[in-house]
Amino acid sequence: MINTLKLVNPIMIDGKEVAELTYDADEITSMQFIEAEGRALEYMGTGRVGAIEMDAGHQLYLGMFAIVAVNPNIDIRDLERIKGKDLIKVMRIGRNFTVPSEGSEEESSVQQYETTQKHLAPQQQTSEDGE
């Protein structure tokens, strides 16, 4: 679903001031996902420091790629000029992509899988004489 991000601090893209950007995290490709991680690690200069759910850098780049996914004319370097509180807004797009919300489809799928696994687990057989 395409959403609109309103910037407090507009950025220049192709010589024009842009104050609103459309995005859709569901359009992030596998290559964009991997590139987001690589860019975050490149700027940190170290390996991963924790789970993706806690990696603000990766989440920031995922948010940027959610913008690029529906605006192929925008280069990721354009979005690296975002500053101030707008950075948090972009990072939240990525965070919401990596952390399923309560009652989301992902949570339902995991719960259904766990329930199925319980029913498929072999039952321990006990004999009447305690062996």
Side-chain angles (χ1 to χ4, degrees):
M1 180 165 109
I2 295 182
N3 297 290
T4 301
L5 172 67
K6 295 181 184 210
L7 300 174
V8 174
N9 302 299
I11 59 173
M12 297 297 286
I13 299 176
D14 295 330
K16 297 176 187 170
E17 189 173 88
V18 176
E20 290 187 358
L21 296 163
T22 55
Y23 68 92
D24 185 350
D26 287 332
E27 294 299 320
I28 295 172
T29 67
S30 58
M31 293 311 295
Q32 289 171 325
F33 186 89
I34 292 166
E35 186 175 344
E37 179 179 33
R39 284 177 177 269
L41 292 174
E42 177 184 338
Y43 289 109
M44 288 177 26
T46 62
R48 176 162 302 288
V49 294
I52 189 173
E53 294 85 356
M54 304 297 289
D55 189 338
H58 193 180
Q59 293 171 355
L60 176 63
Y61 275 100
L62 285 171
M64 290 179 186
F65 278 110
I67 295 166
V68 170
V70 294
N71 298 284
N73 60 312
I74 296 177
D75 188 275
I76 199 78
R77 290 173 290 197
D78 293 325
L79 300 176
E80 288 174 338
R81 290 193 294 273
I82 292 174
K83 62 183 180 180
K85 292 183 179 184
D86 293 330
L87 288 169
I88 300 301
K89 292 177 184 179
V90 175
M91 187 267 313
R92 284 182 181 145
I93 296 167
R95 181 196 63 203
N96 292 341
F97 178 74
T98 62
V99 180
S101 61
E102 198 171 312
S104 71
E105 187 176 310
E106 291 92 357
E107 267 188 20
S108 298
S109 296
V110 169
Q111 289 171 351
Q112 183 178 10
Y113 173 79
E114 289 171 351
T115 302
T116 302
Q117 290 302 308
K118 286 178 188 174
H119 291 293
L120 294 176
Q123 299 294 319
Q124 288 185 335
Q125 295 181 355
T126 57
S127 65
E128 290 180 23
D129 59 356
E131 291 181 26

